[in-house]
């Protein structure tokens, strides 16, 4: 019995020694950091880093603000759950995205180093094998060389007051809240005083979105070397979002975002990863819209020198702070929830794909999206909507007239406004543009009413492009093959972009590397554009052989 008691005491002592050792091991790193003091660079801070503080504190915010009118009492206990301290809380819901955040940053950094010299006129230093000295080697930019080519140096006709969308009085003062028929939700915020609505503000110091608007003319949305464009793209990424509302109409969810400088943009959130191809059995009208397609379409339009797509930039948006907390759209606000994977999600209201089964979820509350700069308010610059003559039937069984009538183009040529002017040539430009993207969803287009029929067409709503890279939809090229008409300048630029020293895919890659969401397109999509460009040139070559190609 005495031996048994001694054995129990021995076991207890071993257990106490083990516990003491574990405690000392846990405390040793903290004691070392505390002994190191603030001079170590981190100030001895022992704060745990949480990937998203807002997701973790959402439940606490709900408790603190239970009596606030902005928070209805309809929320369940699910919204109060807080798993943000778990190690895997920030690894969902775009798990299909094969490139991790760290990998994307490293790849972007490498590509930025490759092209930064061209963008900023910098030079790369390399070691000299003979003496260890560094020599300067200029980095060649295909994009800069392209824009210096004579085909990209052509002059516009002389622009008169009738050719500009707005006749600006340079002595006028800028009243941002009166710039359009819009609702300003944050008038009470003291932070908005950074942009006072009064003062001696001339046209040269207007915000970039307004300078973009007043630069629109009969021939282009923006000029080739307009310095406002880069500044506007930067604004789309950096300006503070002050209000958010759902855009009415449309089949899928889109948000209208208003910025601190009173500019507005259309936000299309990420629905699919870049690697996901549209299934072959999907109809074109049932596919998801892609945020990266909107971004890539803007860059492609600029490289083709059409300049008919409003500026678009990619942005990483905090769904909690930059959407939920600033919206006054109750219908949108009520659709926010926390998923079982502890991600912030919402689904909004729209005709299709707006349900909990198609919710848009962050990682954990960060979501990618495209931001397209708004065109001038319709009250200030009316636009006319035109039905695309080669519009598809949008029916599962019926075909459109142009799909069954080989002489359909002859009928179009006799119908206003395609019987005169350059409108039919604009349609051919848009056809080439859509084919390079693989976009089958071009049902309408718009023009500015002020310029009548003698103006360019605006390439809006390009979200259904870049859905397939393994398939080339040749039916998109039917207008070109039926009519055999194209601008001479367009034909020459297409031939230029097919040359090895330029090559469309390399130009797109260099242009897209500047976007915040790089990589915007995966390599197969870039290679598909080169392949499709060759197909376009083949169609035009057939027209040349038949001696029926008409160029202006």
């Amino acid at each position: 019995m005495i031996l048994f008691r001694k054995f129990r005491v021995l076991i207890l002592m071993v257990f106490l020694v083990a516990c003491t050792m574990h405690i000392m091991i846990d405390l040793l790193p903290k004691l070392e950091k505390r002994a190191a003091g603030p001079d170590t660079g981190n100030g001895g801070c022992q704060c745990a880093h949480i990937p998203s503080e807002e997701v973790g504190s959402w439940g606490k915010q709900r408790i603190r603000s239970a009596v606030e009118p902005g928070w209805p009492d309809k929320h369940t206990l699910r919204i109060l759950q807080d798993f943000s301290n778990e190690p895997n809380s920030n690894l969902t819901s775009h798990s299909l995205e094969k490139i991790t955040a760290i990998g994307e940053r490293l790849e972007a950094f490498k590509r930025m180093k490759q092209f930064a010299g061209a963008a900023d006129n910098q030079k790369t230093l390399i070691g000299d094998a003979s003496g260890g000295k560094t020599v300067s080697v200029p980095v060649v930019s295909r994009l800069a060389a392209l824009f210096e080519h004579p085909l990209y140096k052509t002059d516009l006709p002389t622009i008169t007051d009738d050719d500009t969308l707005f006749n600006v009085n340079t002595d006028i003062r800028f009243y941002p809240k009166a710039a359009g028929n819009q609702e300003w939700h944050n008038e009470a915020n003291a932070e908005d005083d950074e942009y006072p609505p009064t003062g001696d503000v001339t046209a040269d110091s207007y915000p970039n979105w307004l300078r973009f608007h007043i630069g629109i003319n009969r021939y282009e949305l923006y000029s080739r070397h307009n310095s406002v464009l880069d500044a506007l793209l930067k604004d789309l990424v950096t300006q503070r979002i002050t209000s958010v509302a759902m855009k009415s109409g449309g089949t899928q969810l889109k948000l209208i975002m208003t910025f601190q400088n009173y500019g507005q943009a259309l936000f299309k959130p990420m629905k699919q990863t870049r690697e996901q191809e549209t299934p072959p059995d999907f109809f074109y009208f049932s596919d998801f819209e892609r945020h990266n397609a909107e971004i890539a379409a803007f860059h492609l339009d600029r490289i083709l020198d059409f300049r008919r797509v409003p500026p678009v930039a990619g942005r990483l948006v905090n769904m909690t702070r930059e959407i939920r907390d600033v919206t006054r759209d109750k219908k949108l606000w009520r659709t926010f929830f926390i998923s079982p994977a502890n991600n912030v999600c919402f689904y909004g209201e729209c005709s299709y794909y707006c349900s909990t089964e198609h919710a848009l979820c962050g990682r954990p509350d960060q979501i990618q999206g495209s931001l397209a700069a708004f065109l001038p308010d319709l009250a200030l610059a009316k636009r006319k909507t035109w039905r695309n003559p080669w519009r598809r039937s949008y029916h599962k069984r019926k075909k459109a007239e142009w799909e069954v009538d080989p002489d359909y183009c002859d009928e179009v040529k006799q119908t206003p406004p395609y019987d005169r002017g350059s409108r039919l040539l604009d349609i051919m430009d848009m056809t080439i543009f859509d084919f390079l993207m693989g976009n089958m969803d071009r049902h309408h287009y718009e023009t500015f009413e002020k310029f009548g029929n003698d103006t360019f067409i605006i390439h809006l709503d390009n979200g259904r492009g870049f859905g397939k890279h393994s398939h080339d939809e040749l039916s998109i090229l039917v207008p070109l093959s039926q009519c055999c008409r194209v601008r001479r300048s367009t034909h020459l630029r297409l031939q230029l972009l097919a040359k090895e020293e330029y090559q469309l895919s390399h130009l797109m890659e260099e242009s897209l590397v500047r976007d915040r969401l790089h990589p915007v397109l995966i390599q197969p999509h870039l290679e598909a554009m080169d392949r499709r460009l060759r197909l376009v040139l083949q169609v035009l070559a057939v027209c040349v052989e038949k001696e029926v190609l008409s160029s202006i």
Side-chain angles (χ1 to χ4, degrees):
M1 188 69 178
I2 296 175
L3 182 64
F4 179 71
R5 289 179 179 177
K6 290 183 178 181
F7 180 74
R8 286 197 304 178
V9 171
L10 180 63
I11 294 296
L12 181 60
M13 291 180 64
V14 171
F15 177 75
L16 292 175
V17 170
C19 291
T20 304
M21 292 179 64
H22 278 290
I23 293 172
M24 293 299 296
I25 291 173
D26 289 340
L27 291 178
L28 184 60
K30 297 184 178 181
L31 293 174
E32 290 178 350
K33 290 183 179 180
R34 185 171 298 177
D39 295 332
T40 59
N42 59 2
C45 178
Q46 305 300 323
C47 303
H49 176 70
I50 301 174
S52 180
E53 181 180 352
E54 286 155 344
V55 176
S57 61
W58 193 350
K60 298 176 183 179
Q61 293 176 9
R62 176 69 179 94
I63 296 173
R64 288 197 303 265
S65 58
V67 296
E68 296 178 7
W71 288 89
D73 294 329
K74 297 180 180 179
H75 282 263
T76 62
L77 188 61
R78 163 68 71 180
I79 205 171
L80 300 178
Q81 293 179 341
D82 180 9
F83 304 106
S84 60
N85 288 321
E86 295 183 4
N88 294 327
S89 64
N90 64 334
L91 299 181
T92 51
S93 63
H94 298 297
S95 57
L96 294 176
E97 193 73 76
K98 297 180 181 179
I99 304 176
T100 63
I102 296 176
E104 289 178 356
R105 290 172 185 166
L106 290 175
E107 182 66 21
F109 179 71
K110 292 177 182 178
R111 295 181 181 272
M112 284 301 294
K113 287 182 66 177
Q114 178 182 356
F115 297 113
D120 302 323
N121 294 325
Q122 296 176 349
K123 296 183 178 180
T124 305
L125 299 179
I126 63 174
D128 186 357
S130 59
K133 299 179 180 179
T134 56
V135 293
S136 297
V137 177
V139 178
V140 178
S141 168
R142 296 179 190 238
L143 200 60
L146 179 76
F147 291 148
E148 290 299 321
H149 193 278
L151 287 174
Y152 289 78
K153 291 286 190 178
T154 55
D155 295 328
L156 294 176
T158 303
I159 297 178
T160 64
D161 288 344
D162 293 335
D163 296 325
T164 58
L165 190 61
F166 298 112
N167 298 325
V168 180
N169 182 354
T170 57
D171 296 328
I172 196 172
R173 290 184 177 184
F174 171 49
Y175 294 85
K177 294 184 181 181
N181 185 17
Q182 305 160 350
E183 295 180 3
W184 306 103
H185 298 311
N186 291 356
E187 292 180 349
N189 290 353
E191 297 179 26
D192 287 348
D193 291 338
E194 183 178 345
Y195 293 92
T198 60
D200 296 330
V201 182
T202 60
D204 292 336
S205 55
Y206 282 170
N208 294 312
W209 63 266
L210 186 57
R211 295 174 65 193
F212 161 61
H213 288 176
I214 63 179
I216 299 173
N217 60 59
R218 182 184 299 275
Y219 308 103
E220 58 190 5
L221 272 179
Y222 55 88
S223 60
R224 289 191 183 99
H225 306 289
N226 190 345
S227 60
V228 175
L229 192 66
D230 290 335
L232 178 58
L233 292 173
K234 183 179 179 180
D235 284 351
L236 292 174
V237 177
T238 60
Q239 275 285 317
R240 182 170 61 87
I241 299 169
T242 58
S243 68
V244 177
M246 287 187 293
K247 183 181 183 299
S248 60
T251 59
Q252 301 183 34
L253 178 66
K254 293 178 280 289
L255 302 178
I256 299 174
M257 291 186 169
T258 304
F259 301 119
Q260 184 180 9
N261 66 351
Y262 303 103
Q264 288 187 309
L266 185 67
F267 180 75
K268 289 190 177 182
M270 176 178 177
K271 296 184 177 72
Q272 291 180 322
T273 64
R274 285 126 171 96
E275 293 81 10
Q276 286 180 279
E277 271 201 286
T278 300
D281 292 328
F282 268 38
F283 287 100
Y284 50 89
F285 49 81
S286 60
D287 192 16
F288 283 121
E289 294 184 6
R290 299 171 181 266
H291 73 297
N292 61 315
E294 294 285 356
I295 302 168
F298 163 70
H299 289 262
L300 176 61
D301 177 83
R302 192 179 184 185
I303 288 173
L304 293 172
D305 201 41
F306 294 154
R307 287 168 283 125
R308 300 166 193 168
V309 175
V312 184
R315 178 165 177 164
L316 194 63
V317 173
N318 185 298
M319 298 165 62
T320 303
R321 186 176 65 254
E322 296 181 305
I323 298 180
R324 190 205 62 173
D325 290 351
V326 298
T327 185
R328 295 207 176 178
D329 190 330
K330 293 183 179 179
K331 293 181 179 179
L332 173 63
W333 189 91
R334 291 192 185 106
T335 65
F336 274 84
F337 64 94
I338 300 292
S339 73
N342 196 38
N343 293 314
V344 179
C345 305
F346 73 99
Y347 51 87
E349 289 188 0
C350 60
S351 302
Y352 302 97
Y353 308 123
C354 283
S355 62
T356 53
E357 291 80 11
H358 299 97
L360 303 165
C361 296
R363 191 170 46 172
D365 61 351
Q366 306 288 318
I367 189 169
Q368 295 183 17
S370 64
L371 277 166
F374 261 32
L375 292 174
D377 192 275
L378 292 175
L380 303 175
K382 293 182 180 179
R383 299 195 299 271
K384 187 171 183 179
T385 302
W386 304 79
R387 181 188 176 97
N388 182 6
W390 279 272
R391 179 184 188 271
R392 296 179 182 272
S393 65
Y394 288 84
H395 195 278
K396 294 181 178 67
R397 291 177 297 276
K398 294 181 181 179
K399 290 188 175 182
E401 184 180 352
W402 59 268
E403 294 181 277
V404 296
D405 183 4
D407 299 323
Y408 178 78
C409 183
D410 294 332
E411 300 177 14
V412 174
K413 290 178 183 178
Q414 300 172 11
T415 305
Y418 309 103
D419 58 344
R420 56 175 295 273
S422 60
R423 181 62 61 83
L424 186 60
L425 295 174
D426 284 343
I427 295 293
M428 298 302 113
D429 286 346
M430 186 172 64
T431 296
I432 295 169
F433 175 63
D434 284 335
F435 179 70
L436 293 175
M437 294 191 299
N439 178 28
M440 302 171 65
D441 188 37
R442 187 70 66 184
H443 45 82
H444 290 84
Y445 63 88
E446 295 184 13
T447 60
F448 287 107
E449 192 173 287
K450 176 181 178 179
F451 303 134
N453 294 334
D454 299 321
T455 185
F456 64 93
I457 62 181
I458 309 171
H459 297 165
L460 294 173
D461 199 5
N462 306 296
R464 286 203 169 110
F466 298 103
K468 297 179 181 179
H469 55 73
S470 58
H471 171 71
D472 302 326
E473 184 55 53
L474 296 178
S475 64
I476 303 175
L477 282 181
V478 167
L480 193 64
S481 59
Q482 283 185 345
C483 297
C484 277
R485 295 196 66 179
V486 70
R487 279 188 174 88
R488 182 178 292 107
S489 58
T490 299
H491 193 188
L492 291 175
R493 280 195 295 271
L494 293 176
Q495 292 174 326
L496 183 68
L497 296 174
K499 292 183 177 180
E500 186 176 356
E501 58 265 36
Y502 294 104
Q503 199 165 351
L504 180 58
S505 60
H506 293 317
L507 293 166
M508 282 289 291
E509 187 175 20
E510 181 181 346
S511 185
L512 290 170
V513 77
R514 303 169 185 177
D515 191 85
R516 186 66 60 89
L517 299 185
H518 174 79
V520 176
L521 295 178
I522 60 174
Q523 192 63 31
H525 280 300
L526 296 170
E527 295 171 356
M529 282 190 287
D530 287 335
R531 184 178 67 244
R532 292 166 185 166
L533 177 57
R534 291 192 293 269
L535 292 174
V536 173
L537 292 174
Q538 289 176 14
V539 171
L540 295 176
V542 171
C543 293
V544 172
E545 290 178 3
K546 294 180 180 179
E547 298 182 352
V548 293
L549 180 64
S550 299
S551 301
I552 297 179

